[in-house]
Amino acid sequence: MSGWIRDLAMGARFALTGGREGWLRTALTAVGVGLGVALLLLTATLPNALGARDARGQARWDYSVSGENPPAGERTLLVAQNDTMFRGEEVRGRRVKPEGADAVLIPGVAEYPADGEMLVSPALKELLGSADGKLLRERLDSKIVGTIGSAGLVGPAELVYVAVDDTLRPGDGVRRLDTIGVSEVQSERMDPVLLLIVLVVFIALLMPVAVFIAAAVRFGGERRDRRLAALRLVGADGWMTRRIAAGEALAGAGVGLVHGAVFFAIGRQAAGSVEAFDISVFPHDLSPAPLLVLLVALAVPAAAVAVTLLALRGVVIEPLGVVRTAKPVRRRLWWRLLLPLLGLGLLAPMIGQGRDGGEFNQWLVTGGVVLLLVGITALLPWSVEAVVRRLGGGSVSWQLAVRRLQLSSGTAARLVNGIAVAVAGAIALQMLFAGVESDYEQSTGQDVNRADMQIRVPLSAQADEQISGLAKKLADSPAVASVTPYTGSANVGDGKLQPQNSSQLTVGSCAALRTLADVPGCKPGDVFAVENPEFSDDSIAALSKPGRKLYIDPAYPGSPGLAQPWTLPAKVKKSAAGTDPMGSPPYGLLATPEAFPEGRFPALDGTVFVQLDKSQPDAVELVRNMAAAADPRATGFTLAATERSDKFSSVRTGLFAGATCVLLLIGASLLVSQMEQLRDRKKLLSALVAFGTRRRTLSLSVLWQTAIPVILGLALSLTVGVTLGAVLLKMTAHKVSFDWPSVLAMSGIGAGVVLGVTLLSLPPLLRMMRPEGLRTE
Amino acid sequence: MTAPAGSLLSAQDLRKAYGPTNALDGAHFSIHPGEVVAVMGPSGSGKSTLLHCLAGIVPPDSGVITYNGRELSAMSDGERSALRRSDFGFVFQFGQLVPELSCVENVALPLRLNGAKRKEAERTALTWMERLEVDDLAKKRPGEVSGGQGQRVAVARSLVTSPRVLFADEPTGALDSLNGERVMQLLTDAARSTNAAVVLVTHEARVAAYSDREIVVRDGKSRDMEPVL
Amino acid sequence: MSIGHTLLGLLESGPRHGYDLKRAFDEKFGHDKPLHYGQVYSTMSRLLKNGLVEVDGVEAGGGPERKRYAITEAGITDVQTWLATPEKPEPYLSSTLYTKVVLALLTGRDAGDLLDTQRAEHLRMMRMLTERKRKGDLADQLICDHALFHLEADLRWLELTAARLDKLAKAVTSA
């Protein structure tokens, strides 16, 4: 037993003190393993990070749970949701009015400022203070008197403001609250397909990391073998050398773990200042679950030792040198093929299950996907060997690269494995995404040909002046190409309080009404009744009886209304519904302003649709500013033809971010081993330069040497990825279709990595090609 | 000073410093076609630097190198590389064969770098390997042959382009006496038969004895020892 | 080894008594074989006869050891020629070469030149032997190799001495 410890310790000492060379190798391993560990730790933090975000999101929940407003009191707060958008970014806005000294506080707010002042999140403060935020500052022009603490933000880059507005009155859109936050929001059950996708995303991201760590612990293996041979010469036996090698691997992995912790800490700090895909994370949210940390801390060294021992299996270390089991056993195909086939076998029973078949068996999915992807790592060395053996001919650079690969195809394949696995996973997922997209990506029905923006001014007595004034201003603005005639709308009922029949009232000029519905022969003073095309609604018929007395904006319990009386004219025409640019059919009563005694709008919501002048930069923001100037509660909504499920986009976002990280990581490892190889052959390179070898020739040979295995790896990962994608689509009961753009994109990324690695290894290559390398003294 | 009449390659007053060390400090050299000149001197005296400068691998800090009437020191790096490919041959102490290429591919490499077709280059390579008595190793990789054999392959490689000047830097440094003698004999015989000049850097007298004349480098200064007649 | 040239060389630094000459010689070159007075006497008389030295003065008491000798111009030229002429490469040359090197250092001449000249001579010999070996049969080769290895040993000694000239100069002049 003490012998074991002695051998392990000796190995560790070699790793840490083995001179400049040994030290460098350990450093490379440590950085490689460290990057992998950091990525693992980051993955381990995701559950916590997402949980913390959710928790803060729940803590600032400011809707009344019961749907009823409490009576005014010392603790109550009036809240109006006043979100806006700025250049595609959401700004969470709340206008509030504390009704007592003890008004309930929004998380992150220590004290409410005075009327007309506001608190902003640090990110918003920065934006408003910058030249970029000038337009937004025009919209949010309250005096900034403080910042909102991180307790009130889900992420550091979130744009939030809380403005105090004493003009708030309870009513439409203004809620009275005496508590903020809910202990538990009813979370939607994740649907099985999404769950499947998340599972596959995690496997597709973590598998390459594992492959990468396995490659990293083998950095500099040849030199290590030579040293072990020297140890055999002074009397170590075969088992001792294995234990020493294991000790070295352990030490490397240990140092790697430390590096990983440091990288993670750095990455965690850096994460606080980075916003990717609309998500930003507080460093303190990124704390991994202890159990997962323990798992990483144990699994990584164990894997390192296992890989090292596995690598030593094919090598006989003799006292006088290393004998690679000469003429290595021809790589056999059958068991390599068995892995992916087994994977397919595991997935097969779930084919056709679809969304309605309940949850997918997580173990079968994991096992199947892992086996398929592991199959790549098993098949790649075989295929690289098989293909490279048949390559020949060509230029000197090609010959140098091919011969090199023929001699050590395993090394090349090992490095490309990570890329291949990552690409295969990503391709499969992209196919799945593309297939499932139709389910989650819904057509909104909005007609972007008719309008780009909808501006709404909320209900008030001045709605008519406000909306007509705004419409005029908009029409004059250079940012706007055209403005539709404005309309107003409100609820209308047959009683002041809680009417029996109620429907929608839309008021506008004949020109305006014509854009919404078929109103034949419309003239000022007309009123039309429009059936709801989506479901039959008796109340419309009840309400549209000529001469009937109606109330606009009737009151309901807990929600006071204006209840303006209106008597219908003697004639109410029937009309067929059309659609507005939002895609929703207006129904209920359509009236011209002349149908009202005053000849103008009653108190209503005002709506106007705008077509922007696309050549005008920031046209959207200019229009929003004009709307906000008309009424701070006005909203500007941009129309889009399609809408994606939020859940779906966040999963997709995760995949893109992860795949990018993984490919960069693998690119780095390719670079490291390329450097190592170049350093090993410094003398040879200088000798080749002495004969007059062109730099181009050697650079190209480096390119081929990376490109050949990567191309093979991509071809293989394409096959496996497409197969896996097809199976996943079948499992979710979708038609199999190939998502060529993503296949192309993934191949492009792979090619980019090759090119990047080659480009980055050129400067050291050219440096090593300097004749000084020939000097021995 | 000008190049001695009839010399193929000559150098006057070469100076070259690597950082604070003066590797060459006013060295002179000249060689005629078909001549074998030994460059001798203790380790660190600047022998190898002299060879690197003469071969156009390293440009000297100052001094003039003339090859066949052209001034080497005035050529660009590309031109010097082209000259090395076409007119010069090289043998190093440890062969420096490309480990993944077979021996015949190694020998053919300089021809291929000059743009020769693969088949043709390997045919020529094989005739040189025959002359150096290593043609039976053609298909083996450098790792599978002995040091002496490898060095003979390296000599074949250096001669395959029929260079006008052959630069040999301690060509027998890693070999035993017998193998060293054999390599030297084959090398000088082959060079003489093609009328190539040989610049032979060595610290071994028995190797230098294969030369026609020796030059001693000490502290970066060269001394041409005219044979005492 | 030429005792005459050695004694002449010793005189180059200034006139000496016969007794002094013997002592200086023994100290620097006669490590295991001190010179007899007789040898000094006979050598000096030969040099005197050849005009390479002259008697600078005689001390009371008479006898050859009491005479003070000085080197003549002809004597200096003779030493110079001797030092500049390489020895014929042959085995066991080192004692002569050593004497030459020390004398060159003692008389302020360039010992490096001397060694280079000697090396060139050795190499010339080695070239001849190499050439003969090339053309000869196995017996010739073996015989030539024997000579070559000996010459190589000498040459190695020359290299080593050349590398240690500075040290040697210090040791010789301080004694």
Side-chain angles (χ1 to χ4, degrees):
Chain A
M1 193 61 209
S2 69
W4 274 69
I5 291 169
R6 190 196 57 218
D7 293 344
L8 288 176
M10 185 189 279
R13 209 166 49 241
F14 277 131
L16 302 177
T17 61
R20 214 177 75 109
E21 246 174 39
W23 189 85
L24 195 69
R25 202 192 68 250
T26 308
L28 289 178
T29 312
V31 170
V33 173
L35 289 173
V37 165
L39 202 61
L40 282 177
L41 286 177
L42 203 68
T43 313
T45 61
L46 281 183
N48 272 0
L50 297 179
R53 285 171 64 91
D54 278 357
R56 280 197 302 277
Q58 288 171 17
R60 68 180 187 186
W61 182 266
D62 53 7
Y63 300 92
S64 89
V65 184
S66 62
E68 283 180 25
N69 286 336
E74 272 298 289
R75 277 189 56 76
T76 55
L77 178 74
L78 292 180
V79 179
Q81 190 171 337
N82 217 47
D83 297 344
T84 184
M85 296 277 286
F86 184 66
R87 293 195 181 137
E89 291 202 65
E90 282 175 38
V91 181
R92 177 186 164 94
R94 292 292 183 269
R95 283 181 311 120
V96 298
K97 176 188 175 187
E99 291 185 303
D102 198 19
V104 62
L105 287 172
I106 293 175
V109 173
E111 191 187 4
Y112 290 111
D115 182 30
E117 297 178 341
M118 68 174 171
L119 302 173
V120 294
S121 66
L124 182 59
K125 186 172 189 172
E126 195 181 324
L127 177 62
L128 289 176
S130 70
D132 282 346
K134 223 178 126 256
L135 274 174
L136 184 61
R137 185 68 180 126
E138 283 172 22
R139 200 178 316 159
L140 308 178
D141 54 358
S142 304
K143 191 179 165 207
I144 298 170
V145 293
T147 53
I148 299 169
S150 57
L153 309 172
V154 292
E158 204 189 14
L159 304 174
V160 182
Y161 73 90
V162 173
V164 173
D165 180 356
D166 280 348
T167 64
L168 286 185
R169 297 283 170 268
D172 196 24
V174 179
R175 301 181 287 275
R176 176 181 283 136
L177 301 171
D178 56 4
T179 55
I180 288 179
V182 282
S183 53
E184 207 174 321
V185 177
Q186 187 82 33
S187 67
E188 297 172 63
R189 199 178 70 92
M190 255 211 165
D191 97 55
V193 172
L194 266 179
L195 213 58
L196 174 73
I197 291 176
V198 171
L199 202 60
V200 179
V201 165
F202 268 80
I203 298 170
L205 290 186
L206 287 182
M207 278 288 299
V209 172
V211 173
F212 170 76
I213 289 185
V217 296
R218 287 170 89 156
F219 284 156
E222 282 168 34
R223 241 174 269 171
R224 194 238 1 252
D225 293 350
R226 284 202 290 275
R227 188 172 52 240
L228 290 178
L231 283 173
R232 290 272 281 133
L233 192 61
V234 297
D237 65 22
W239 281 107
M240 276 171 77
T241 55
R242 277 181 176 72
R243 286 196 292 273
I244 290 166
E248 265 192 83
L250 269 182
V255 177
L257 278 178
V258 174
H259 271 76
V262 172
F263 291 153
F264 174 69
I266 293 170
R268 189 179 144 167
Q269 277 314 309
S273 51
V274 172
E275 185 183 14
F277 312 107
D278 290 337
I279 292 180
S280 61
V281 189
F282 282 112
H284 54 75
D285 283 352
L286 291 174
S287 35
L291 206 68
L292 290 176
V293 173
L294 190 71
L295 192 70
V296 169
L298 290 179
V300 168
V305 171
V307 169
T308 304
L309 294 182
L310 213 65
L312 280 179
R313 213 188 36 166
V315 176
V316 181
I317 295 175
E318 295 288 349
L320 289 176
V322 182
V323 184
R324 282 193 197 283
T325 24
K327 294 288 163 214
V329 229
R330 174 68 71 79
R331 295 176 201 279
R332 266 188 259 278
L333 184 57
W334 66 268
W335 68 267
R336 293 168 195 273
L337 268 177
L338 207 61
L339 289 176
L341 289 179
L342 213 66
L344 282 178
L346 286 181
L347 296 178
M350 289 177 284
I351 282 180
Q353 185 173 326
R355 172 164 292 112
D356 310 317
E359 281 185 22
F360 293 95
N361 182 319
Q362 293 193 12
W363 298 109
L364 281 183
V365 170
T366 309
V369 175
V370 166
L371 276 176
L372 259 177
L373 293 182
V374 166
I376 293 181
T377 68
L379 277 171
L380 193 57
W382 176 85
S383 60
V384 170
E385 191 188 73
V387 170
V388 160
R389 206 176 40 232
R390 287 171 179 81
L391 287 178
S395 63
V396 179
S397 57
W398 177 263
Q399 189 185 25
L400 283 170
V402 166
R403 287 282 185 267
R404 172 97 195 147
L405 287 172
Q406 282 173 350
L407 210 60
S408 57
S409 63
T411 319
R414 217 158 39 235
L415 286 168
V416 177
N417 262 338
I419 290 189
V421 170
V423 168
I427 285 178
L429 282 166
Q430 294 295 355
M431 269 178 75
L432 187 57
F433 280 142
V436 178
E437 210 153 43
S438 53
D439 296 359
Y440 294 92
E441 206 159 43
Q442 291 164 342
S443 169
T444 55
Q446 293 167 7
D447 189 349
V448 288
N449 292 323
R450 280 166 72 184
D452 296 309
M453 281 182 85
Q454 179 203 41
I455 313 287
R456 293 193 62 187
V457 177
L459 180 135
S460 75
Q462 304 84 41
D464 192 21
E465 289 100 62
Q466 275 182 348
I467 193 72
S468 60
L470 178 60
K472 197 170 287 159
K473 260 196 266 170
L474 284 171
D476 292 342
S477 164
V480 174
S482 69
V483 184
T484 59
Y486 58 89
T487 57
S489 62
N491 199 0
V492 67
D494 54 5
K496 268 189 183 179
L497 181 74
Q498 217 170 349
Q500 208 167 9
N501 296 301
S502 69
S503 189
Q504 199 179 304
L505 168 67
T506 306
V507 184
S509 63
C510 281
L513 294 183
R514 236 171 258 129
T515 65
L516 305 176
D518 182 24
V519 282
C522 170
K523 55 184 193 302
D526 279 356
V527 174
F528 299 89
V530 181
E531 282 299 326
N532 186 341
E534 281 169 3
F535 58 93
S536 66
D537 186 355
D538 294 342
S539 52
I540 294 176
L543 289 174
S544 61
K545 287 195 180 101
R548 181 134 197 213
K549 187 164 189 175
L550 303 177
Y551 295 89
I552 301 170
D553 190 21
Y556 289 89
S559 161
L562 297 174
Q564 312 164 72
W566 175 43
T567 310
L568 277 178
K571 193 172 177 203
V572 176
K573 298 180 181 171
K574 285 252 188 278
S575 162
T579 49
D580 72 358
M582 294 299 284
S584 52
Y587 63 91
L589 295 171
L590 269 59
T592 52
E594 293 76 9
F596 297 92
E598 299 86 355
R600 51 166 288 223
F601 272 18
L604 297 165
D605 282 1
T607 301
V608 64
F609 288 95
V610 168
Q611 254 180 336
L612 297 173
D613 180 354
K614 297 285 194 329
S615 65
Q616 196 75 19
D618 276 330
V620 176
E621 304 309 326
L622 287 166
V623 168
R624 284 201 180 113
N625 279 4
M626 280 188 274
D631 187 312
R633 294 177 298 156
T635 55
F637 180 86
T638 48
L639 275 63
T642 55
E643 183 183 38
R644 224 171 26 217
S645 153
D646 268 357
K647 279 184 286 194
F648 185 63
S649 75
S650 61
V651 171
R652 185 172 211 169
T653 297
L655 174 74
F656 272 122
T660 311
C661 283
V662 166
L663 283 171
L664 283 180
L665 193 68
I666 289 162
S669 81
L670 269 174
L671 190 61
V672 162
S673 60
Q674 186 75 262
M675 300 280 193
E676 192 176 53
Q677 191 199 327
L678 286 178
R679 216 179 29 251
D680 270 350
R681 355 181 72 200
K682 199 165 148 188
K683 265 260 169 61
L684 182 64
L685 286 173
S686 300
L688 285 173
V689 174
F691 300 175
T693 310
R694 291 179 190 83
R695 281 155 208 282
R696 199 184 52 216
T697 306
L698 290 183
S699 309
L700 271 177
S701 109
V702 168
L703 176 69
W704 295 134
Q705 212 181 301
T706 322
I708 295 171
V710 169
I711 287 169
L712 288 176
L714 285 180
L716 185 63
S717 54
L718 226 83
T719 317
V720 175
V722 166
T723 311
L724 179 58
V727 171
L728 290 175
L729 280 175
K730 287 250 180 231
M731 279 165 62
T732 55
H734 280 87
K735 209 170 94 238
V736 176
S737 62
F738 298 102
D739 186 27
W740 292 118
S742 72
V743 168
L744 239 111
M746 281 296 140
S747 313
I749 293 176
V753 169
V754 176
L755 215 62
V757 167
T758 309
L759 279 181
L760 284 173
S761 53
L762 280 188
L765 172 71
L766 295 180
R767 205 165 49 242
M768 276 177 223
M769 282 177 71
R770 282 197 307 221
E772 278 81 348
L774 279 173
R775 272 167 30 105
T776 41
E777 286 117 47
Chain B
M1 262 208 261
T2 55
S7 72
L8 179 61
L9 176 64
S10 71
Q12 271 89 45
D13 200 22
L14 290 187
R15 279 164 213 282
K16 175 79 189 175
Y18 288 112
T21 39
N22 283 322
L24 286 181
D25 192 13
H28 301 271
F29 183 86
S30 97
I31 193 167
H32 295 277
E35 199 182 13
V36 180
V37 175
V39 179
M40 303 187 71
S43 310
S45 59
K47 298 187 299 272
S48 291
T49 306
L50 178 61
L51 180 136
H52 294 158
C53 285
L54 289 173
I57 300 172
V58 182
D61 295 342
S62 72
V64 179
I65 303 167
T66 318
Y67 167 73
N68 211 11
R70 297 162 72 194
E71 200 177 304
L72 213 63
S73 19
M75 289 187 199
S76 72
D77 184 55
E79 287 172 316
R80 281 185 280 123
S81 296
L83 187 67
R84 291 202 298 273
R85 283 198 296 276
S86 58
D87 285 31
F88 295 170
F90 294 89
V91 187
F92 299 97
Q93 180 171 1
F94 295 105
Q96 302 296 359
L97 299 172
V98 181
E100 52 267 15
L101 297 184
S102 70
C103 286
V104 69
E105 284 170 339
N106 260 295
V107 175
L109 190 61
L111 289 172
R112 303 259 289 132
L113 289 173
N114 258 342
K117 288 262 178 301
R118 186 165 175 168
K119 281 234 172 71
E120 223 168 280
E122 290 184 5
R123 207 164 32 237
T124 314
L126 211 58
T127 63
W128 276 101
M129 290 180 77
E130 271 165 39
R131 281 180 80 163
L132 285 147
E133 301 159 9
V134 283
D135 48 322
D136 51 328
L137 306 176
K139 293 283 167 233
K140 297 213 155 139
R141 287 189 209 282
E144 299 166 327
V145 305
S146 74
Q149 291 171 328
Q151 202 62 359
R152 275 191 248 168
V153 173
V155 171
R157 181 174 66 173
S158 68
L159 289 164
V160 74
T161 54
S162 305
R164 311 258 336 252
V165 187
L166 180 64
F167 294 91
D169 193 350
E170 303 281 9
T172 62
L175 303 179
D176 61 53
S177 305
L178 199 59
N179 267 306
E181 303 255 328
R182 191 82 194 112
V183 164
M184 280 316 296
Q185 213 158 353
L186 291 166
L187 189 151
T188 47
D189 283 350
R192 287 213 170 92
S193 73
T194 56
N195 204 30
V198 179
V199 180
L200 173 66
V201 166
T202 183
H203 68 277
E204 277 184 275
R206 270 179 314 108
V207 173
Y210 283 88
S211 66
D212 301 314
R213 182 160 65 83
E214 80 271 11
I215 273 194
V216 178
V217 183
R218 186 170 291 137
D219 298 330
K221 292 182 178 63
S222 69
R223 203 175 149 178
D224 203 338
M225 305 305 294
E226 284 302 325
V228 182
L229 299 171
Chain C
M1 168 159 93
S2 164
I3 295 171
H5 286 117
T6 314
L7 293 178
L8 264 181
L10 286 172
L11 281 178
E12 259 202 78
S13 51
R16 286 174 196 254
H17 288 105
Y19 177 77
D20 277 349
L21 274 173
K22 173 193 152 42
R23 224 181 42 203
F25 185 95
D26 286 350
E27 209 171 87
K28 295 206 156 70
F29 308 108
H31 306 296
D32 43 354
K33 255 167 60 186
L35 220 51
H36 296 298
Y37 284 120
Q39 270 177 297
V40 178
Y41 175 74
S42 62
T43 307
M44 290 320 287
S45 19
R46 185 166 50 83
L47 294 176
L48 208 57
K49 201 168 67 197
N50 289 341
L52 302 177
V53 295
E54 55 195 13
V55 177
D56 196 39
V58 185
E59 271 180 39
E65 71 276 14
R66 288 295 178 216
K67 274 184 188 152
R68 213 156 72 124
Y69 298 96
I71 191 164
T72 63
E73 276 305 310
I76 293 175
T77 313
D78 193 51
V79 174
Q80 173 65 33
T81 314
W82 179 64
L83 286 178
T85 310
E87 296 293 313
K88 187 174 183 307
E90 59 186 26
Y92 314 115
L93 196 56
S94 64
S95 60
T96 310
L97 283 176
Y98 175 74
T99 309
K100 279 185 152 186
V101 168
V102 172
L103 268 183
L105 289 172
L106 276 176
T107 56
R109 289 181 173 91
D110 190 340
D113 273 359
L114 188 153
L115 288 171
D116 281 349
T117 314
Q118 189 61 50
R119 188 213 333 254
E121 187 61 16
H122 266 72
L123 266 176
R124 198 173 65 92
M125 189 75 169
M126 289 177 77
R127 272 194 200 100
M128 264 166 53
L129 289 166
T130 305
E131 199 53 33
R132 197 189 301 166
K133 199 170 78 171
R134 263 185 142 138
K135 291 174 182 140
D137 56 13
L138 186 61
D140 278 340
Q141 282 179 17
L142 288 174
I143 290 164
C144 289
D145 271 336
H146 183 263
L148 277 169
F149 278 113
H150 277 288
L151 287 170
E152 193 189 17
D154 272 357
L155 260 179
R156 283 201 184 165
W157 180 86
L158 284 173
E159 294 288 352
L160 204 67
T161 310
R164 291 179 176 169
L165 271 181
D166 286 350
K167 253 189 178 164
L168 186 64
K170 232 178 259 165
V172 163
T173 46
S174 71

